[in-house]
């Protein structure tokens, strides 16, 4: 099945700086890559996604890039704010419609 | 439109007890799934369903059963609870999966403790 690896596991940045979280996947047939934000004690929520026919997608301060050849995709958050502090998960859809999640990145934005 | 509704929010079980975690969605989503979330291990897929009457196993199915008799409901059954099943459980649904690819809507979670 699919294997999704996510790095780093923790990330601490100063408010206003950028944050980058990277994921790799193993199944070349995977074609949909969502990112989720989970605040403490809450449910994961979709923040952005990208499909395999697109190389980059941006939504205000958040962007995702996809390199299908290298099988990796990244989340970029610019001008970070304290409310961006959360755990972020990447995911990939592998064979048989299964979502596979990365292990998560705990982002801490220091004021 | 309530989204994905999970009950209960909290539950304490004794080893060997059985229980059912309920999940219902009112968005006419085809795809439903159950995940468990343990510290440092992300979200691991237990079982999933691509439509009424169709279920399949995920990464960690042992000790859990599911059924999907209607589009709306996807209950998760623990037949004989074990301390290793202490976790936070999330139900999630999606309009579709596969090549179409749509994001999940998650329920609010069930925090289960087995003593």
């Amino acid at each position: 099945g699919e294997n999704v690896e996510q790095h780093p596991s923790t990330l601490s940045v100063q408010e206003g700086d950028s944050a980058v979280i990277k994921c790799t996947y193993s199944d070349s047939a995977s074609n949909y890559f969502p990112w989720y934000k989970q605040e403490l004690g809450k449910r994961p929520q979709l923040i952005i996604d990208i499909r395999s026919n697109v190389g980059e997608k941006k939504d205000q301060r958040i962007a995702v890039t996809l390199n299908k050849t290298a099988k990796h995709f990244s989340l970029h958050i610019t001008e970070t704010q304290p409310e961006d502090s959360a755990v972020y998960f990447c995911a990939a859809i592998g064979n048989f419609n299964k979502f596979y999640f990365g292990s998560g990145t705990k982002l801490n934005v220091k004021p | 439109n309530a989204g994905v509704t999970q009950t209960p929010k909290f539950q304490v079980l004794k080893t060997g007890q059985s229980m059912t975690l309920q999940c219902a969605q009112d968005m006419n989503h085809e795809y439903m799934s159950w995940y468990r979330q343990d510290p440092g291990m992300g979200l691991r897929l237990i079982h999933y369903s691509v439509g009424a009457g169709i279920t399949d196993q995920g990464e960690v199915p042992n000790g859990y059963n599911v059924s999907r008799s209607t589009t709306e409901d996807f209950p998760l059954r623990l037949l004989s609870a074990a301390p290793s099943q202490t976790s936070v459980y999330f139900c999630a649904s999606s309009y579709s999966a596969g090549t179409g690819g749509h994001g999940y809507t998650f329920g609010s979670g069930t925090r289960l403790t087995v003593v």
Side-chain angles (χ1 to χ4, degrees):
Chain A
E2 176 66 277
N3 182 39
V4 178
E5 295 191 355
Q6 183 172 346
H7 301 280
S9 57
T10 59
L11 179 58
S12 188
V13 300
Q14 206 66 40
E15 182 178 358
D17 287 349
S18 295
V20 180
I21 302 170
K22 298 181 179 181
C23 288
T24 60
Y25 62 98
S26 60
D27 186 354
S28 57
S30 292
N31 54 24
Y32 176 64
F33 308 93
W35 285 88
Y36 292 83
K37 175 183 181 182
Q38 186 178 28
E39 295 174 347
L40 189 62
K42 303 238 177 120
R43 73 192 80 186
Q45 294 199 305
L46 179 70
I47 56 172
I48 196 167
D49 57 13
I50 192 166
R51 290 180 170 78
S52 58
N53 58 348
V54 175
E56 183 174 358
K57 183 176 178 180
K58 190 173 181 180
D59 183 3
Q60 299 182 333
R61 296 186 296 108
I62 294 173
V64 57
T65 58
L66 171 65
N67 183 327
K68 281 207 71 179
T69 303
K71 294 189 200 150
H72 66 71
F73 55 113
S74 300
L75 178 71
H76 304 253
I77 306 174
T78 58
E79 300 171 22
T80 53
Q81 300 167 3
E83 52 265 38
D84 294 329
S85 295
V87 178
Y88 292 82
F89 291 98
C90 64
I93 289 192
N95 284 333
F96 309 111
N97 299 331
K98 295 180 184 180
F99 276 75
Y100 292 89
F101 283 86
S103 54
T105 296
K106 185 174 183 180
L107 174 64
N108 179 34
V109 180
K110 295 178 286 186
Chain B
N1 189 335
V4 179
T5 303
Q6 268 185 255
T7 56
K9 292 191 183 303
F10 301 94
Q11 183 71 50
V12 178
L13 288 179
K14 293 182 179 178
T15 298
Q17 286 185 316
S18 63
M19 80 161 294
T20 299
L21 279 62
Q22 301 292 344
C23 176
Q25 53 89 11
D26 61 359
M27 298 173 284
N28 201 30
H29 283 176
E30 289 182 338
Y31 191 88
M32 296 185 74
S33 56
W34 278 100
Y35 285 86
R36 60 177 290 172
Q37 185 173 35
D38 302 298
M41 301 200 65
L43 292 151
R44 292 185 292 169
L45 180 64
I46 304 171
H47 285 285
Y48 70 103
S49 168
V50 299
I54 305 169
T55 63
D56 206 346
Q57 296 181 347
E59 303 168 77
V60 289
N62 292 341
Y64 308 95
N65 281 348
V66 292
S67 60
R68 183 97 180 268
S69 56
T70 66
T71 300
E72 294 79 18
D73 299 301
F74 191 45
L76 178 72
R77 297 184 188 85
L78 283 72
L79 298 178
S80 179
S84 60
Q85 293 178 305
T86 294
S87 188
V88 178
Y89 291 83
F90 286 100
C91 177
S93 73
S94 172
Y95 178 71
S96 69
T99 56
H102 293 78
Y104 274 143
T105 299
F106 280 87
S108 57
T110 296
R111 187 173 294 274
L112 176 68
T113 302
V114 182
V115 298

